[in-house]
């Protein structure tokens, strides 16, 4: 069966093509040195390298969900946090859940992250990875923790 029956406005039956499946495979971060950035996130998250090429590195989530990829961008400009009209704006960021926020911040700093000056929430820490991409660490609290 190559599709599902669909009625047209005239009452005639015809087959509609099945919709393709979509699954997020990875989030890709540009960097001047993708190997260095991949090493940072590999050490931070404890994920293994899945693929490594001269200008491309993939690290894999152990549960098989979407991983992270890193690619060389020779014209890379560090994003500014918080954003300003004149600087390179952050286009996206990673939210990373941790079990102990203070310990996770210290570990990330030991691996090369910097703590951002601007912290918009008391229970979240904004840091920047070695290439300057902002990311957030948070510990889940409350009844769903």
């Amino acid at each position: 069966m190559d599709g599902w029956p669909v009625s047209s406005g005239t009452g005639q039956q015809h087959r509609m093509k099945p919709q393709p499946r979509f699954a997020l495979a990875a989030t890709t971060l540009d960097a001047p040195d993708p190997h260095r950035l991949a090493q940072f996130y590999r050490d931070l998250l404890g994920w293994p390298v899945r693929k490594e090429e001269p200008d491309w590195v993939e690290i894999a989530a152990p549960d098989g969900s979407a991983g992270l990829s890193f690619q060389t961008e020779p014209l890379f400009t560090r994003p500014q946090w918080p954003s300003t009209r004149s600087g390179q704006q952050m286009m996206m960021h990673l939210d990373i859940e941790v079990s102990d926020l203070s310990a996770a911040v210290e570990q990330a700093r030991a691996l090369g992250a910097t703590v951002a000056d601007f912290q918009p929430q008391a229970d979240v820490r904004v840091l920047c990875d070695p290439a300057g991409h902002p990311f957030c660490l948070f510990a889940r609290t409350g009844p769903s923790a």
Side-chain angles (χ1 to χ4, degrees):
M1 184 169 179
D2 61 335
W4 303 282
V6 176
S7 293
S8 68
T10 62
Q12 295 179 329
Q13 295 278 317
H14 63 277
R15 296 219 180 264
M16 191 171 107
K17 282 184 139 179
Q19 294 296 311
R21 182 183 71 86
F22 292 87
L24 182 64
T27 296
T28 302
L29 299 174
D30 292 348
D33 183 348
H35 297 275
R36 179 169 183 244
L37 192 57
Q39 181 69 47
F40 169 79
Y41 281 103
R42 192 186 95 179
D43 292 346
L44 184 72
L45 299 169
W47 293 2
V49 171
R50 176 175 36 210
K51 183 177 183 180
E52 192 164 8
E53 297 175 355
D55 292 321
W56 180 266
V57 181
E58 297 174 14
I59 62 175
D63 65 0
S65 62
L68 289 173
S69 298
F70 309 89
Q71 68 182 2
T72 299
E73 174 48 67
L75 301 177
F76 179 79
T77 300
R78 291 173 74 93
Q80 219 172 354
W81 172 256
S83 295
T84 64
R85 289 192 184 276
S86 62
Q88 174 63 46
Q89 293 185 352
M90 170 185 69
M91 301 301 287
M92 53 140 304
H93 70 275
L94 302 174
D95 287 339
I96 301 171
E97 183 177 353
V98 298
S99 59
D100 180 326
L101 186 56
S102 297
V105 168
E106 289 312 308
Q107 182 176 345
R109 289 183 67 214
L111 294 171
T114 56
V115 177
D117 291 335
F118 178 64
Q119 298 292 325
Q121 297 168 283
D123 57 347
V124 174
R125 288 295 163 270
V126 180
L127 293 92
C128 294
D129 67 26
H133 301 101
F135 66 96
C136 295
L137 298 178
F138 72 98
R140 198 169 300 277
T141 58
S144 63

